[in-house]
Amino acid sequence: MIALLVEAASWTFLLLGAFLVLVGALGLVRMPDFYTRLHPAGITDSLGADFILTGLVLQAGFSLVTVKLFLIGAFLFFTSPTSTHAIANAALVAGLKPRHAVVPPRPPEKATQDEEAR
Amino acid sequence: MRLKTMTHTLGLGLAMFALWLLLSGHYTPLLLSFGVASCALIVLIAARLDVIDHEAVPLHLSFGYFGYLAWLGKEIAKSNWDVAKIVLDPKLPISPTMVWVPATQRTDVGKVIYANSITLTPGTVSVEIEHDRILVHAITREAAEGLESGDMDRRVDQIEAR
Amino acid sequence: MFAATAIALLVAMVLALVRLYAGPSLYDRVLAANSFGTKTVLLIAVMGFLTGRPDFLDIALLYALLNFIGTIAVLKFFRYRSLGDAVEEKAASRNKEASQ
């Protein structure tokens, strides 16, 4: 009974994860400009990957394999936002303008009051 | 000061050896000694590079982090659902917004945690970090407003304070 | 079911390739390549289970790290046109430009 439940949960996670990865990839193609494309890519990286790995963990039972799956999850968890930020930052520094949003000016700090007056 | 460096060095070595044990799966004396040797070599290189400090070995991050992770997981699930709905909507109802969000964390590690959390939740991406604020690109205005309420900022402050 | 997941991942990878080909900017391509890499990691893991050889997970683990470092290296090259030293000064001057 328990085994059946674990099996069912595992398939649910795998299929949900696969679905989310597909949605993320679809968004990557559909979105109109670079900065909006970052967001669907984030779906794949965060919940899509986590669901698929959770599904696999449930399949694997408890062994060294589970530990490796957890490590893959942890690496993706820490590196994927970092690389997304690096890509976005590189694009901004290189002068790629978002097509559908304005880059807001830096809010004035206490030292630079004159910028506000301008 | 010296004692602290010792603790960090030891912590790094032990953490790496634990990782090695988990990944290897072979526990014969020969291979174990290879593992110890490789961990020692890497600790030596890290010490020569002078990168062993509280950033490389964050021993001070406490168990409050796990509570935050649970909360973050919930937020990630919610915003994933929102973005997935947007992608699957034939009309593609996006309203991209860029805002500066204040980051009130004291340490660099705190700011990194905050910026990474922003990027990890789909719908918001941190584009630039300055010393006390983060430029965020949000896919909808609502996502940007949710961040501007400062809830996540406060929570990161809390795990930092502990 | 592993097969279904693997097929979904493959379709998603093809979509990422479409974006990689269509561009239009350099950064779209880096993003697509990075996303493709993440999917590759998942595909390798799933294939390991599909073929009953969990050793594949070691490769997936390695690929996850390589993918990250590769993306960062490419971006660094785009930004500074160099992967080696002398980056510090360029970074400083670049930051000065950006802040002006």
Side-chain angles (χ1 to χ4, degrees), chain B:
Chain B
M1 192 62 210
R2 192 82 198 104
L3 183 73
K4 238 178 163 177
T5 320
M6 285 286 283
T7 327
H8 283 141
T9 312
L10 207 66
L12 181 67
L14 284 179
M16 278 200 310
F17 191 60
L19 189 67
W20 187 91
L21 284 177
L22 286 174
L23 285 179
S24 124
H26 295 280
Y27 305 117
T28 58
L30 178 70
L31 285 171
L32 277 176
S33 59
F34 282 163
V36 172
S38 58
C39 288
L41 183 69
I42 289 174
V43 170
L44 205 72
I45 292 173
R48 260 183 67 91
L49 284 171
D50 204 18
V51 290
I52 301 181
D53 53 12
H54 67 282
E55 273 186 14
V57 193
L59 296 171
H60 59 288
L61 280 184
S62 60
F63 286 99
Y65 194 60
F66 289 101
Y68 176 72
L69 275 185
W71 179 82
L72 185 64
K74 199 189 82 213
E75 289 297 302
I76 289 174
K78 261 198 295 190
S79 52
N80 256 297
W81 175 240
D82 289 343
V83 178
K85 264 196 305 196
I86 290 172
V87 170
L88 292 176
D89 195 314
K91 287 199 298 289
L92 213 63
I94 54 170
S95 50
T97 316
M98 287 183 99
V99 283
W100 285 99
V101 177
T104 53
Q105 287 74 33
R106 280 172 294 111
T107 58
D108 283 351
V109 176
K111 272 176 205 134
V112 167
I113 293 176
Y114 185 37
N116 260 9
S117 307
I118 290 175
T119 313
L120 209 49
T121 39
T124 50
V125 168
S126 56
V127 180
E128 180 137 51
I129 304 176
E130 287 182 3
H131 60 282
D132 63 345
R133 62 203 173 194
I134 299 175
L135 180 60
V136 172
H137 184 280
I139 197 163
T140 58
R141 197 145 294 133
E142 293 82 64
E145 278 159 9
L147 207 55
E148 277 179 319
S149 71
D151 191 19
M152 188 184 270
D153 189 36
R154 263 196 308 281
R155 281 171 196 272
V156 180
D157 275 355
Q158 275 168 17
I159 59 164
E160 196 183 38
R162 241 173 276 183

Side-chain angles (χ1 to χ4, degrees), chain C residues 48-76:
Chain C
F49 277 81
L50 185 64
T51 53
R53 291 169 61 190
D55 318 338
F56 272 42
L57 285 178
D58 292 324
I59 307 172
L61 198 58
L62 201 66
Y63 201 92
L65 293 172
L66 275 182
N67 184 38
F68 172 63
I69 294 177
T71 307
I72 299 293
V74 167
L75 286 172
K76 188 177 174 187

Side-chain angles (χ1 to χ4, degrees), chain C residues 11-57:
Chain C
V11 173
M13 284 162 88
V14 170
L15 287 173
L17 279 183
V18 169
R19 177 48 67 202
L20 189 82
Y21 180 73
S25 75
L26 219 49
Y27 300 97
D28 285 294
R29 284 163 215 237
V30 180
L31 180 67
N34 184 39
S35 189
F36 188 85
T38 309
K39 288 172 194 115
T40 311
V41 173
L42 295 174
L43 183 68
I44 294 173
V46 172
M47 284 305 276
F49 277 81
L50 185 64
T51 53
R53 291 169 61 190
D55 318 338
F56 272 42
L57 285 178

Side-chain angles (χ1 to χ4, degrees), chain A:
Chain A
M1 189 61 203
I2 297 286
L4 196 71
L5 270 180
V6 168
E7 193 83 347
S10 155
W11 294 136
T12 316
F13 271 120
L14 275 176
L15 289 183
L16 259 178
F19 172 73
L20 280 174
V21 169
L22 265 180
V23 168
L26 190 69
L28 196 64
V29 174
R30 277 197 75 193
M31 285 293 169
D33 83 324
F34 167 73
Y35 290 93
T36 49
R37 273 171 210 143
L38 291 166
H39 305 289
I43 298 187
T44 308
D45 285 348
S46 60
L47 212 56
D50 287 350
F51 272 2
I52 289 184
L53 290 173
T54 312
L56 293 179
V57 164
L58 290 177
Q59 283 286 323
F62 195 77
S63 63
L64 283 184
V65 172
T66 328
V67 175
K68 280 174 195 166
L69 283 168
F70 267 120
L71 277 173
I72 295 176
F75 283 142
L76 285 181
F77 184 83
F78 287 114
T79 57
S80 75
T82 312
S83 47
T84 306
H85 169 79
I87 298 170
N89 188 250
L92 189 81
V93 169
L96 188 69
K97 293 270 183 295
R99 205 189 298 166
H100 298 280
V102 276
V103 181
R106 287 177 163 71
E109 280 177 77
K110 286 159 205 104
T112 56
Q113 288 290 331
D114 54 321
E115 216 168 353
E116 199 177 17
R118 202 144 39 95

